Amino acid sequence: MKKARLAVFASGSGSNYQAIVEACIDGRIDADVVLLVCDKPGAKVLERAEKFGTKSFAFNPKDYESREAYETMLATMLDDHKVDYICLAGYMRIVGKVLLSRFEQRIINIHPSLLPSFKGAHAIQDAMEFGVKVFGVTTHFVDETLDGGRIIDQGAVAYEGNDIEELTTMIHNIEHKLYVKTINKLINKRF
Ligand code: GAR
């Protein structure tokens, strides 16, 4: 059977991108990352992509008239690379109708909270400020809402300290394992 072809979309550091690529390389995921899409030219994830030899494409959404316009451009690129699934990994942007309709049930996201609590770009900080004692990570299908869509997997960790960096590291460690598990479910259609 042919290997699944993944595109990873990211906006920042790319530790989740790296976790996915490493899992593909060492056989924990039976897929290839064929494209890294980044909406923040200059983001660290692009350096990581170069290091791992993943083809990357960076664009600035402001250079396009609308979300529809840049997603139409991205859809062509994804077709050219015969992408089967899109994994959002710190892609800080809502996905619109163009990609959602072409990749129905084939776009997933990872978010650093136990959804539906603490959606948005500062989930770890928001949860800590709220006084949460059990933190976590969620993977889910993507719909047109912020961090919405059907939940696939969750992982939790108890933490009662007040060191956001320490907590962020703990959460990232969970993310890197959870995303591998979820991608395997996705490509093996085990739902
Ligand atoms: C991750 O913690 C991911 O869950 C989060 O961005 C971080 C990216 O880290 N995503 C969201 O908050 C989505 N709302 P990374 O660039 O090191 O993979």
Side-chain angles (χ1 to χ4, degrees):
M1 229 177 69
K2 91 171 177 53
K3 270 191 176 184
R5 295 170 69 82
L6 311 179
V8 176
F9 282 31
S11 308
S13 159
S15 71
N16 280 285
Y17 151 78
Q18 182 166 333
I20 295 167
V21 169
E22 285 178 342
C24 289
I25 290 170
D26 68 22
R28 282 174 292 129
I29 299 177
D30 191 20
D32 291 316
V33 178
V34 296
L35 189 64
L36 182 272
V37 172
C38 177
D39 64 335
K40 289 260 164 28
K44 186 175 170 193
V45 67
L46 293 162
E47 285 169 36
R48 295 194 203 241
E50 194 171 349
K51 183 172 155 215
F52 283 91
T54 304
K55 185 161 181 197
S56 65
F57 174 71
F59 73 105
N60 187 343
K62 291 199 180 112
D63 294 340
Y64 296 81
E65 246 174 43
S66 61
R67 177 180 296 144
E68 200 178 332
Y70 68 72
E71 287 199 349
T72 301
M73 171 276 297
L74 291 176
T76 303
M77 186 170 294
L78 294 164
D79 283 350
D80 289 347
H81 288 82
K82 298 186 168 45
V83 167
D84 299 308
Y85 301 100
I86 299 173
C87 306
L88 308 185
Y91 180 68
M92 298 307 201
R93 202 162 280 285
I94 294 282
V95 176
K97 282 194 177 64
V98 173
L99 290 180
L100 286 172
S101 60
R102 292 203 194 203
F103 287 86
E104 215 184 326
Q105 297 294 295
R106 291 188 292 141
I107 308 179
I108 57 171
N109 182 41
I110 189 156
H111 182 73
S113 77
L114 293 171
L115 288 172
S117 296
F118 305 110
K119 296 180 176 184
H122 311 287
I124 301 174
Q125 192 182 327
D126 292 347
M128 187 175 244
E129 283 172 7
F130 203 82
V132 155
K133 304 292 177 232
V134 178
F135 295 79
V137 174
T138 303
T139 54
H140 61 94
F141 286 105
V142 171
D143 64 16
E144 239 182 307
T145 61
L146 176 71
D147 299 318
R150 184 157 64 93
I151 289 173
I152 304 172
D153 287 307
Q154 291 188 307
V157 60
Y159 183 75
E160 299 209 6
N162 58 6
D163 182 340
I164 186 117
E165 279 181 26
E166 181 181 51
L167 175 60
T168 300
T169 302
M170 288 165 77
I171 287 181
H172 275 154
N173 287 338
I174 297 174
E175 289 192 321
H176 299 161
K177 293 189 188 83
L178 196 76
Y179 222 175
V180 171
K181 174 180 169 186
T182 294
I183 292 169
N184 272 311
K185 276 191 183 171
L186 185 73
I187 64 182
N188 295 314
K189 301 189 173 53
R190 279 192 269 114
F191 292 103

